[in-house]
Structure formats: structure tokens, C-alpha cells
């Protein structure tokens, strides 16, 4: 996915749905020597078209956006490096970001200098990952949940009842209860809502 930049100006695309945050990123990066912010979008499903139209060297994408997540938007992007920014500390998000081909992954709480360094690193063909997130991801490993358990927990997060979930997924009520029981055991959760909260926090949904 990455496209190492030369010695000229680095062209940067920002994808962030919160205007105040996007404006702050643009103001910060526009003052950095050798950087040029060539565009901003506020939805994940606008990223691919913007990359094709603007030809950035680096796309800086928020993970949590309407239309499509930054991780989903990163999949299949060509011709530019991708740096994902997130307020979500769950290590599962990092695994998904790397699987999508992202070159970097930072928390939004990172300093401006760290963000600038990360952009230069990924533009040069390197990888920039928040060290604390990387350590946590290694400690927790990949998600223990099956695809079906993920589907069911997502519906739990929507407030669906067991009957609703069974109907939506064409399963019996007993099968749904079994999946939930297995998921709760894997997450050491005392309830289905706690299982959902833990899985979401760890980035496994």
C-alpha cells in the first residue's frame, strides 16, 4: 500500500469527521516544512475517490468515521501510505488495521511532533505504530471470538433480545444462548452486555 515519497513536498489527505479535529490537524500539518495538505474528507466512504483525485503521498485516516471506518477505507488503497488515528485503545483495532494494510497506527492523544514523525516514516516506506498499543496487542493476541459470536455480540450491543437475534440470524434461541455462553466464557464476562463491552473495548467487534 505504501508509496515511498521522494525529497519533495509530501502531499497529505486528512479524513476526519469532526470538523474541529480536522481543522486542528490541517493547521498543524500545514505549518510543517515540506508538508502540503491537499484535501480533507469527513466520511470513510469518500476516501478512495479523494485518493484517486488528489494523489496524496500519505492518507491520514480517523478509524471511527461515518459511512465506512478508516480501517475499511484503508483496504485496497494504492499509491499512498496510510496512517490511521484513533481514540480507541483496544488492541484488536490494531490487528485489523495491519491486516487492512495500514502503514501506521497512532492514538489521537499522540503529540503533534509524534504525528509529524509518523507521517514522514510511513511516507518513506516505514511503519509507525504506537508502542503501548503494540505491546498490548502482543500481550492479548488475536481475538478468541468466532465470526458468529461477533455477529451476535454486535446485535447485543444494539439492544436486541435473544428472540430478535435468533430471528435476524436464522438461528434457534438455544443456539444463540450457546454462542453467548461461549463468548462470555472466552471474555470472562458475567453477562452478555459485559461481554459486548469487553469485546468492543478490545477492538474485537
Amino acid at each position: 500500500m505504501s508509496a515511498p515519497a521522494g525529497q519533495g513536498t509530501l502531499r497529505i489527505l486528512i479524513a476526519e469527521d469532526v470538523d474541529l479535529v480536522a481543522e486542528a490537524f490541517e493547521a498543524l500539518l500545514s505549518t510543517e516544512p515540506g508538508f502540503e495538505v491537499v484535501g480533507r474528507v469527513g466520511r470513510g466512504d469518500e476516501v478512495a475517490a479523494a485518493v484517486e483525485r488528489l494523489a496524496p503521498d500519505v492518507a491520514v485516516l480517523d478509524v471511527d468515521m461515518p459511512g465506512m471506518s478508516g480501517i475499511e477505507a484503508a483496504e485496497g488503497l494504492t499509491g499512498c501510505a496510510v496512517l490511521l488515528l484513533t481514540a480507541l485503545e483496544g488492541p484488536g483495532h490494531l490487528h485489523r488495521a495491519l491486516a487492512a494494510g495500514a502503514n501506521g497506527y497512532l492514538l489521537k492523544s499522540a503529540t503533534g511532533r509524534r504525528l509529524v514523525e509518523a507521517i514522514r516514516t510511513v511516507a518513506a516506506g516505514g511503519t509507525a505504530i504506537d508502542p503501548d498499543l503494540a505491546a498490548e496487542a502482543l500481550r492479548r493476541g488475536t481475538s478468541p471470538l468466532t465470526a458468529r459470536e461477533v455477529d451476535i455480540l454486535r446485535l447485543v450491543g444494539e439492544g436486541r433480545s435473544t428472540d430478535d437475534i435468533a430471528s435476524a440470524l436464522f438461528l434457534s434461541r438455544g443456539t444463540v444462548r450457546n454462542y453467548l455462553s461461549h463468548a462470555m466464557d472466552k471474555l470472562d464476562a458475567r453477562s452478555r452486555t459485559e461481554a459486548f463491552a469487553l469485546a468492543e473495548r478490545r477492538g474485537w467487534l
Side-chain angles (χ1 to χ4, degrees):
M1 177 180 299
S2 63
Q7 296 301 312
T9 299
L10 288 178
R11 296 168 57 82
I12 300 166
L13 170 70
I14 297 171
E16 164 63 59
D17 63 306
V18 179
D19 287 340
L20 188 62
V21 176
E23 289 168 4
F25 284 154
E26 183 171 3
L28 169 69
L29 299 178
S30 294
T31 61
E32 182 66 21
F35 281 13
E36 178 188 3
V37 176
V38 295
R40 278 172 34 195
V41 296
R43 295 176 56 90
D45 52 9
E46 297 172 341
V47 171
V51 167
E52 183 175 356
R53 183 177 72 254
L54 300 169
D57 297 302
V58 180
V60 179
L61 313 181
D62 181 20
V63 168
D64 188 16
M65 287 188 288
M68 181 184 293
S69 74
I71 293 174
E72 292 170 321
E75 294 179 355
L77 285 184
T78 58
C80 70
V82 174
L83 174 63
L84 288 164
L85 299 180
T86 183
L88 307 172
E89 299 187 9
H93 298 292
L94 173 57
H95 286 297
R96 290 172 53 218
L98 295 178
N103 307 92
Y105 192 88
L106 291 183
L107 289 173
K108 286 186 175 180
S109 57
T111 64
R113 179 48 47 192
R114 180 72 182 98
L115 174 60
V116 167
E117 291 172 352
I119 289 173
R120 293 195 184 280
T121 296
V122 299
T127 302
I129 298 175
D130 182 280
D132 291 335
L133 281 179
E136 182 70 2
L138 286 173
R139 187 175 74 82
R140 289 196 180 275
T142 56
S143 173
L145 301 172
T146 66
R148 183 57 82 187
E149 288 164 354
V150 167
D151 290 339
I152 289 173
L153 286 177
R154 283 174 175 162
L155 292 175
V156 168
E158 294 176 6
R160 303 281 197 99
S161 68
T162 299
D163 286 343
D164 287 342
I165 295 171
S167 177
L169 298 180
F170 304 102
L171 300 172
S172 70
R173 294 176 70 247
T175 299
V176 170
R177 286 195 296 267
N178 286 338
Y179 276 122
L180 283 171
S181 177
H182 289 315
M184 289 165 57
D185 287 343
K186 291 175 182 179
L187 296 168
D188 194 24
R190 292 165 293 183
S191 68
R192 55 190 243 158
T193 53
E194 184 181 13
F196 164 76
L198 288 169
E200 184 179 47
R201 188 179 310 132
R202 294 172 186 173
W204 290 337
L205 297 184

